[in-house]
Amino acid sequence: PAGQKLFFHEVQGCGKSDLCSELQIARTINNMVTWDEKQWKVSPGTLITALVINALVERQPLYNVQHFYEAMDMPLLFEEGIQANDLNDDALGRALDRLAKVDCRQLLGTVACQAARIEDMDISSVHTDTTSFSVYGEYDTKAIEEADKNMHIEIVRGFNKDHQPHLKQLKFGLMVTNEGFPISGDVTSGNQSDNVWNSKIIDEFHVSFLETWDVSYVADSALITEENVRLMDAKKVRFISRLPGRFNLEQELIERAWKEVKWRSCGPMVKGKKAATYWTQPFQVEFVDKIYRFIVVRSSSLDKAKERTLQRQLDREKETLEKLIKTLSKEEFQCKPDAEARLKAILKDHDMLHALSGQVVENVSVKRKPGRPRKNHPEPLLETITYGIEWTIHPPTEQKLEDWRQRKTAFVLITSVSEALYDDYDVLKEYKKQINVEVRFRFLKDPMFVNAIYLKTPRRVEALGYVILLAVMIASLLELRIRNALDREKSTISAGSRKNVQRPTARLLLNMLNSILVVYLDYNGHTERHFPHDINPEVLRVLELAGYDRRIYTENPYKKLL
């Protein structure tokens, strides 16, 4: 028709916006922060929600967020009648300042509680860990207000998990369910130790919405300090963790397990032909003035790093033995018993993968009698007998190598959970689920998701960190819903070259949703939205699995189109 305009419009944020609405992020923020509706054209909650959506699609620095939304369908995304230019960097910066003044950990807990209610999550355990996020460029600490130094995080050097110790950093901490959904998190200073962080999280865990007496707290070895163990005992927090090597008890229990040889087979933890098999051996030992369960675990699989360690050790051993033999071969003994005693002592002290053997040999030498011989009277020759040792280096046997590998795979778990609730297999299985929090960190640190910070003040950096954690919650909820739906249907999805995906990741699902484009027909002041005919049916199926249909991309949920 005359006057008709046809164009494509980006709508990647629609599904994320609906999830944000379900979790009531904007309403929760507006209720927590201090603000005057008459002074704000756009509410702080909506501004923060805009940052969350931007982070999930293609995170931009604050000064580019406005341009990002210029290509978006604003009426479908936000309840408030706003335009892209309302999301300028000044407005977003002010929203971050207000967010920084509230207890953001409480905000995350409130949103998580809402998600747990909606999804009816069965939270029998929580898994915690931290990760560092490195930042580049100069960070002028002189320009920071004294109040910010005392109230907010410090971007400083600390133990860098990205293996970039020359860079300053901040740290993210997460507590996730056994299905990987974040129910708590925080942003901390770059130099805060994991031991201190765990102590703080234990306090928060004790007063959270979870029934702590019925939930197991799972963390890596940084949790186990004498102070933290006493704290968990005082607060009746059930825990599962790994006993760190800084306690002599770890090696003592491993040696004891190898002597007693009472292994229980647990089989593999996951499906697959190359899945490792595990064995356990339990002990009851006093630790920090109380008896705890300890489980020595060994595995049939040795990672590549330890295999390289083994090869380096073999090379060093052979070089050391060759030098030793070169020295020992020069030794001479006047009697055979002395040589045999020396051989026995060397072999007794030998404790290496390479085997060492020796044999006492007799050395006979014939010498002329000392002094000047008399003329025409030849002196008789003297026969001297000494003893030496011939040494031989033998390569390690396969049995010895396998024993070394088994010992290097061994580690010790510690738990306060009774065996009536969790047997050895259950404890090991729960600890192996620590991978769930690591998976969230991999998503959080994806360069497409979290890139440069572009902020200077610590309060805004900290607030932006919590915005990113909110975005991780949204992505995790999407992943959880679709995985649960696939499990109920006993089906799979396909994405590009990947076929029959049973457990799609949040990144894969976001990439599929971000591919959606909508056709706009604009004529005589009237706008119609339509899906292209060639849209991937698997993308529409993802929408259905998440509990939505295509109408969230074509119908305005807040007001009628003019």
Side-chain angles (χ1 to χ4, degrees):
Q4 174 177 298
K5 294 182 180 179
L6 171 66
F7 56 94
F8 287 92
H9 212 291
E10 297 186 45
V11 289
Q12 294 101 320
C14 287
K16 296 85 173 179
S17 176
D18 280 73
L19 287 170
C20 289
S21 298
E22 281 193 66
L23 297 185
Q24 300 179 10
I25 291 178
R27 181 182 301 178
T28 303
I29 292 173
N30 287 337
N31 289 336
M32 292 182 68
V33 304
T34 302
W35 65 294
D36 185 350
E37 294 186 34
K38 297 179 181 179
Q39 301 294 326
W40 289 68
K41 183 176 181 180
V42 183
S43 70
T46 298
L47 291 168
I48 296 301
T49 302
L51 288 175
V52 171
I53 295 172
N54 173 247
L56 289 168
V57 178
E58 184 183 359
R59 196 177 76 80
Q60 302 288 332
L62 258 59
Y63 58 81
N64 269 346
V65 172
Q66 174 181 338
H67 301 300
F68 166 82
Y69 278 103
E70 287 175 353
M72 292 294 172
D73 192 341
M74 300 296 286
L76 287 185
L77 292 177
F78 301 106
E79 181 177 358
E80 301 176 31
I82 62 175
Q83 303 297 321
N85 56 14
D86 295 326
L87 304 177
N88 56 72
D89 56 344
D90 288 334
L92 296 171
R94 287 193 298 271
L96 288 176
D97 289 340
R98 296 301 174 96
L99 184 64
K101 292 180 180 180
V102 303
D103 187 347
C104 291
R105 291 185 293 273
Q106 182 184 350
L107 167 64
L108 293 182
T110 302
V111 174
C113 185
Q114 175 72 359
R117 184 186 63 80
I118 292 173
E119 294 301 312
D120 192 23
M121 297 181 191
D122 178 19
I123 307 175
S124 59
S125 64
V126 293
H127 299 256
T128 65
D129 203 356
T130 67
T131 190
S132 57
F133 181 78
S134 302
V135 294
Y136 296 81
E138 290 296 325
Y139 189 74
D140 186 10
T141 55
K142 295 180 181 179
I144 300 173
E145 298 177 5
E146 194 63 34
D148 280 345
K149 288 184 179 179
N150 297 331
M151 296 176 57
H152 299 288
I153 65 170
E154 292 183 272
I155 301 180
V156 293
R157 292 183 179 87
F159 178 74
N160 193 290
K161 299 182 181 182
D162 295 329
H163 307 293
Q164 299 188 80
H166 59 289
L167 296 178
K168 294 180 181 179
Q169 65 181 22
L170 61 150
K171 296 180 77 172
F172 288 97
L174 273 182
M175 177 190 291
V176 306
T177 68
N178 48 10
E179 294 179 313
F181 180 80
I183 57 173
S184 181
D186 65 354
V187 184
T188 63
S189 298
N191 59 355
Q192 185 175 80
S193 72
D194 285 1
N195 306 102
V196 175
W197 181 83
N198 270 291
S199 177
K200 180 178 65 175
I201 293 299
I202 290 168
D203 276 326
E204 295 179 2
F205 174 63
H206 181 64
V207 297
S208 68
F209 68 90
L210 300 174
E211 297 177 347
T212 54
W213 61 86
D214 198 34
V215 177
S216 298
Y217 182 92
V218 188
D220 63 14
S221 60
L223 170 67
I224 304 303
T225 64
E226 292 187 7
E227 295 78 9
N228 286 347
V229 171
R230 288 193 175 94
L231 179 63
M232 288 186 289
D233 181 46
K235 295 184 178 295
K236 308 300 181 186
V237 174
R238 302 186 328 192
F239 70 91
I240 297 173
S241 186
R242 178 171 175 170
L243 183 66
R246 62 178 175 271
F247 291 99
N248 293 333
L249 180 60
E250 184 215 33
Q251 195 58 38
E252 292 173 6
L253 289 174
I254 291 175
E255 292 299 328
R256 183 176 166 185
W258 248 259
K259 288 179 181 178
E260 297 188 9
V261 197
K262 296 179 180 178
W263 299 104
R264 303 173 181 175
S265 176
C266 289
M269 294 286 109
V270 295
K271 297 180 180 179
K273 294 181 179 180
K274 296 183 179 180
T277 301
Y278 292 89
W279 293 265
T280 61
Q281 197 167 159
F283 298 95
Q284 299 274 347
V285 180
E286 183 177 338
F287 182 72
V288 194
D289 305 323
K290 187 177 178 180
I291 300 297
Y292 286 96
R293 287 175 63 196
F294 292 89
I295 303 171
V296 179
V297 183
R298 67 181 178 90
S299 166
S300 63
S301 176
L302 189 70
D303 60 40
K304 294 181 180 179
K306 286 192 173 68
E307 286 288 359
R308 290 192 293 269
T309 300
L310 172 60
Q311 189 56 53
R312 287 195 298 269
Q313 181 171 331
L314 293 175
D315 293 341
R316 285 196 302 269
E317 278 189 9
K318 188 175 182 181
E319 183 180 354
T320 300
L321 288 175
E322 287 174 347
K323 290 181 179 178
L324 176 64
I325 289 175
K326 189 175 182 180
T327 302
L328 294 176
S329 298
K330 297 177 182 179
E331 294 181 344
E332 290 186 349
F333 304 90
Q334 299 304 313
C335 64
K336 189 174 182 179
D338 287 349
E340 291 174 341
R342 177 63 167 165
L343 172 61
K344 186 177 181 180
I346 293 295
L347 294 181
K348 183 179 180 181
D349 292 339
H350 174 73
D351 184 19
M352 293 185 177
L353 294 173
H354 286 83
L356 185 64
S357 65
Q359 180 180 2
V360 176
V361 295
E362 183 180 276
N363 299 318
V364 179
S365 61
V366 179
K367 297 182 180 179
R368 183 177 57 80
K369 184 178 179 181
R372 186 176 181 180
R374 290 184 296 172
K375 190 176 182 180
N376 300 324
H377 291 278
E379 296 291 335
L381 299 177
L382 299 177
E383 186 177 82
T384 303
I385 298 177
T386 59
Y387 297 88
I389 304 174
E390 288 183 353
W391 299 95
T392 304
I393 302 173
H394 304 278
T397 63
E398 283 301 319
Q399 181 60 42
K400 210 163 188 177
L401 290 176
E402 184 59 27
D403 185 64
W404 184 95
R405 290 188 177 99
Q406 290 288 314
R407 285 175 179 262
K408 288 300 179 182
T409 64
F411 57 93
V412 181
L413 298 179
I414 175 175
T415 180
S416 61
V417 182
S418 69
E419 193 168 6
L421 293 175
Y422 280 31
D423 61 17
D424 295 354
Y425 176 85
D426 294 328
V427 172
L428 175 59
K429 186 176 181 180
E430 202 61 58
Y431 182 75
K432 297 295 287 184
K433 288 181 181 179
Q434 271 296 98
I435 189 63
N436 288 332
V437 69
E438 297 294 337
V439 168
R440 287 293 163 253
F441 285 144
R442 285 201 290 269
F443 174 77
L444 186 151
K445 298 174 79 168
D446 187 330
M448 293 297 293
F449 183 60
V450 177
N451 44 38
I453 296 296
Y454 300 110
L455 297 172
K456 292 182 179 180
T457 65
R459 64 177 180 272
R460 287 190 179 183
V461 172
E462 183 176 356
L464 180 62
Y466 283 101
V467 170
I468 292 170
L469 291 179
L470 284 171
V472 173
M473 278 189 172
I474 297 297
S476 302
L477 181 60
L478 175 67
E479 178 186 281
L480 178 62
R481 275 190 178 178
I482 292 178
R483 286 184 175 185
N484 288 342
L486 290 173
D487 288 341
R488 288 192 297 269
E489 295 181 1
K490 296 182 179 180
S491 61
T492 62
I493 63 171
S494 298
S497 60
R498 300 185 60 184
K499 307 295 182 182
N500 302 323
V501 181
Q502 291 181 320
R503 296 183 63 79
T505 64
R507 172 51 62 198
L508 175 66
L509 296 170
L510 289 173
N511 288 340
M512 292 179 72
L513 294 178
N514 288 346
S515 67
I516 296 177
L517 292 176
V518 171
V519 178
Y520 271 51
L521 291 173
D522 188 5
Y523 55 94
N524 299 329
H526 179 71
T527 301
E528 292 182 1
R529 301 176 177 89
H530 300 276
F531 269 96
H533 294 296
D534 59 350
I535 191 168
N536 186 347
E538 284 293 281
V539 175
L540 297 179
R541 184 159 173 261
V542 166
L543 280 178
E544 294 173 359
L545 292 170
Y548 305 112
D549 61 36
R550 66 179 66 192
R551 286 178 295 178
I552 66 171
Y553 289 93
T554 58
E555 296 182 8
N556 193 320
Y558 305 118
K559 60 182 180 180
K560 293 182 179 180
L561 293 174
L562 299 177

